[in-house]
Amino acid sequence: MTVTYSSKVANATFFGFHRLLCKWRGSIYKLLYREFLVFAGFYTAISLVYRLLLTGAQKRYFEKLSIYCDRYAEQIPVTFVLGFYVTLVVNRWWNQFVNLPWPDRLMLLISSSVHGRDEHGRLLRRTLMRYVNLTSLLIFRSVSTAVYKRFPTMDHVVEAGFMTADERKLFDHLKSPHLKYWVPFIWFGNLAAKARKEGRIRDSVDLQSLMTEMNRYRSWCSLLFGYDWVGIPLVYTQVVTLAVYTFFFACLIGRQFLDPTKGYAGHDLDLYVPVFTLLQFFFYAGWLKVAEQLINPFGEDDDDFETNWCIDRNLQVSLLAVDEMHMSLPKMKRDIYWDDSAARPPYTLAAADYCIPSFLGSTVQMGVPGLVTGGEFLSDPPRVSPPQSKRGADKNRLLCSFHGNCGGLAALVLEHPPGHLISPRLVLGEVVRNSNSAIKTPQQEPHQDPIPCTGLSRVAIHVSSGVFWGTWYNSHAQGLPSLYLVQPSQKDPPLFCTLSVSLSSKNPDFEDSLFC
């Protein structure tokens, strides 16, 4: 059975994979612990022989052999050969999964195209669907050891109800040295053509759709058969296996800790336990084990495909769809958004953080300086240099950006360059439900006194629901402008937002209006 752990890694957290490292079923530890113990045992045995049993001259010869093995073992291209091989195996494994035969499309067509609620119509639909499932069963028996153990003979197939006794006689009477998984396809086509003649399939287009979908299903089955027939070339598998095991055979001698008193390069320490060599074996041999497990996903490993479950599921679901659910419809009722032109499903408290504004493009939040009041184009754009302020060549400008969606969090950010005197005449922050909304008069007039701007000024509007109007007034905190908001009694969240901004300064050359 496939080991599923998707829910445990749904969120990326600090050291989030640590929970997966302790699992045994389907883990690399379960696959590799035998080979790892054998490698560690051989390494320990060679080390004990070198340290305790060899004479002085024999130790000198072993040390030269160890240095030689360590030097030339690195010339074996283990990483390149193994990495390319595992990539090939993983791609092949995934392609086999996406081509597993699923009868859902066929059962939809059979249920909607083959008419008749009498016993003959019901028998016709169930028989067509049974032929579809029989085809996949014959393919799975030929490629999956788990399915073959469940249905070792055709008698077990008949006993399980995938084939009748009469169909078994016809199947056995047909002499062919090849796998006869295609026979139910022929039965399906003949029965569908007969149903068209009887008027059970009322249109030739429906018959064509059935045959087209059945051919697609046949392609999935034949592709699985082809993957089982033509595997990765044996010579490549042999090369990879020999490369890995030859490399670690050389490491058994070449990675031994030698006598530090002899002054060999790289042998200044005698740690007894080759930590990094064991890690290297764990990674490289584990890589090879991954390929060994995935090269045939129809076996009985922990992560192989559950083909027996597929057979059970497909048969139960498909027969239910073409029989009990044939022409079965629930009573139609108005949905809860019948009179609501702005349908929006509710959020639970746990999902409140996932209520985000719609993406309207990356330029929506971009401020455009020098935009003309009212959004009209100039008939004759001026070709003059920008006005110079008393403080230098920096232009007077206003930046405005609008964030959020109506009914959620909205923010209006106003910025102007430092050092200028701004005298606001009227700034409206308006959120309307439609064009017919009544205009509310602001309850506070803006101050006409100049606002000294010694730094960057910012204002944020929080919109939750209803219609808002706001005006500027002079804040006494550090001379920065603020916004006054008036909230009417409306409770429904608005459909769209409109924010208009108009500013004027003491500088007669400065007139800037911006619409967001």
Side-chain angles (χ1 to χ4, degrees):
M1 182 177 179
T2 301
V3 180
T4 302
Y5 58 89
S6 301
S7 61
K8 298 184 180 299
V9 292
N11 300 320
T13 59
F14 174 72
F15 204 48
F17 277 19
H18 71 282
R19 294 185 298 270
L20 304 180
L21 298 179
C22 301
K23 289 185 174 295
W24 174 255
R25 185 172 165 272
S27 66
I28 187 61
Y29 320 120
K30 183 178 179 180
L31 281 176
L32 194 61
Y33 78 94
R34 298 179 184 87
E35 288 85 349
F36 186 83
L37 292 177
V38 170
F39 179 80
F42 274 116
Y43 184 93
T44 304
I46 294 174
S47 179
L48 291 176
V49 170
Y50 164 69
R51 297 171 185 275
L52 302 178
L53 299 181
L54 296 183
T55 62
Q58 292 173 337
K59 285 185 177 181
R60 304 291 85 76
Y61 181 80
F62 178 83
E63 291 164 357
K64 294 179 180 180
L65 179 63
S66 176
I67 296 174
Y68 175 81
C69 291
D70 186 37
R71 179 186 306 169
Y72 289 99
E74 299 298 333
Q75 297 183 7
I76 302 176
V78 180
T79 304
F80 172 76
V81 175
L82 190 57
F84 187 78
Y85 181 73
V86 172
T87 301
L88 180 63
V89 169
V90 170
N91 290 334
R92 176 186 171 91
W93 164 78
W94 183 250
N95 287 333
Q96 292 182 74
F97 173 76
V98 298
N99 286 285
L100 288 176
W102 300 98
D104 298 56
R105 296 167 64 102
L106 265 170
M107 72 187 189
L108 171 65
L109 288 174
I110 292 175
S111 180
S112 59
S113 302
V114 182
H115 300 277
R117 305 198 65 175
D118 56 347
E119 184 176 355
H120 181 68
R122 179 186 179 191
L123 178 62
L124 186 61
R125 289 188 297 273
R126 292 180 67 94
T127 303
L128 287 172
M129 204 69 247
R130 186 166 53 81
Y131 289 158
V132 174
N133 287 282
L134 176 60
T135 302
S136 60
L137 175 60
L138 295 178
I139 281 294
F140 283 141
R141 282 187 72 249
S142 64
V143 301
S144 174
T145 57
V147 175
Y148 189 83
K149 289 181 178 180
R150 184 181 179 183
F151 305 100
T153 65
M154 293 302 298
D155 292 332
H156 293 84
V157 176
V158 174
E159 184 179 352
F162 288 90
M163 182 185 289
T164 65
D166 293 337
E167 292 168 351
R168 167 71 188 282
K169 292 178 182 179
L170 293 175
F171 188 85
D172 292 339
H173 181 71
L174 186 64
K175 302 300 180 183
S176 175
H178 308 293
L179 182 65
K180 294 185 288 186
Y181 74 94
W182 47 270
V183 172
F185 286 124
I186 306 301
W187 292 345
F188 182 95
N190 295 339
L191 187 57
K194 181 181 178 182
R196 175 70 181 97
K197 291 181 180 180
E198 295 175 351
R200 299 286 180 168
I201 300 178
R202 299 174 183 174
D203 196 293
S204 297
V205 176
D206 293 336
L207 177 61
Q208 179 64 33
S209 299
L210 273 176
M211 299 308 297
T212 301
E213 195 57 44
M214 189 60 182
N215 275 321
R216 178 180 296 182
Y217 193 84
R218 180 207 58 80
S219 299
W220 290 338
C221 294
S222 60
L223 188 60
L224 293 184
F225 181 75
Y227 273 116
D228 185 66
W229 174 31
V230 180
I232 296 177
L234 178 62
V235 61
Y236 194 13
T237 304
Q238 290 176 337
V239 167
V240 174
T241 305
L242 287 175
V244 173
Y245 284 100
T246 302
F247 174 78
F248 285 108
F249 178 78
C251 287
L252 287 175
I253 299 176
R255 300 293 177 85
Q256 292 288 335
F257 289 101
L258 304 181
D259 189 356
T261 60
K262 299 303 179 181
Y264 297 116
H267 292 275
D268 301 328
L269 296 176
D270 188 2
L271 300 179
Y272 298 96
V273 179
V275 177
F276 291 99
T277 300
L278 294 178
L279 289 176
Q280 196 173 24
F281 178 85
F282 189 84
F283 298 144
Y284 282 178
W287 214 356
L288 183 63
K289 279 294 181 179
V290 169
E292 180 182 330
Q293 186 177 40
L294 299 183
I295 195 170
N296 181 13
F298 296 102
E300 300 176 69
D301 294 323
D302 288 338
D303 272 316
D304 284 342
F305 302 152
E306 293 97 351
T307 47
N308 278 314
W309 175 87
C310 292
I311 292 172
D312 296 340
R313 181 262 176 197
N314 292 344
L315 180 65
Q316 195 273 336
V317 171
S318 60
L319 293 181
L320 183 65
V322 301
D323 190 2
E324 295 185 23
M325 294 192 64
H326 175 66
M327 296 303 174
S328 175
L329 292 172
K331 183 180 178 180
M332 291 191 297
K333 297 178 63 177
R334 292 185 177 184
D335 57 80
I336 62 175
Y337 306 106
W338 184 263
D339 295 321
D340 190 357
S341 59
R344 187 180 186 186
Y347 285 80
T348 62
L349 183 60
D353 293 338
Y354 302 105
C355 179
I356 59 176
S358 300
F359 180 71
L360 302 177
S362 58
T363 62
V364 172
Q365 302 178 10
M366 184 179 70
V368 182
L371 199 63
V372 180
T373 304
E376 299 177 355
F377 289 100
L378 290 176
S379 59
D380 187 15
R383 292 181 173 85
V384 296
S385 301
Q388 302 293 324
S389 66
K390 296 180 180 180
R391 296 181 178 271
D394 55 334
K395 296 186 298 181
N396 296 310
R397 64 189 180 93
L398 174 67
L399 301 180
C400 171
S401 60
F402 177 73
H403 308 277
N405 65 341
C406 298
L409 176 64
L412 174 63
V413 181
L414 303 179
E415 302 176 358
H416 54 77
H420 294 287
L421 298 179
I422 304 297
S423 177
R425 53 189 182 187
L426 182 63
V427 178
L428 298 181
E430 177 186 5
V431 180
V432 296
R433 184 167 182 80
N434 52 54
S435 58
N436 298 323
S437 297
I439 299 178
K440 303 292 183 178
T441 303
Q443 296 183 2
Q444 179 171 344
E445 294 296 330
H447 290 267
Q448 300 299 328
D449 297 333
I451 300 176
C453 302
T454 57
L456 186 65
S457 300
R458 289 179 177 268
V459 174
I461 304 175
H462 179 81
V463 179
S464 59
S465 65
V467 177
F468 291 87
W469 284 83
T471 61
W472 289 95
Y473 70 95
N474 190 5
S475 173
H476 298 287
Q478 300 180 355
L480 297 182
S482 300
L483 187 67
Y484 180 81
L485 294 178
V486 179
Q487 179 179 5
S489 59
Q490 297 168 335
K491 297 182 179 180
D492 295 331
L495 295 181
F496 59 92
C497 300
T498 302
L499 293 171
S500 60
V501 178
S502 177
L503 292 181
S504 63
S505 69
K506 289 297 183 179
N507 187 345
D509 295 331
F510 175 72
E511 180 69 22
D512 210 348
S513 297
L514 185 60
F515 292 86
C516 299

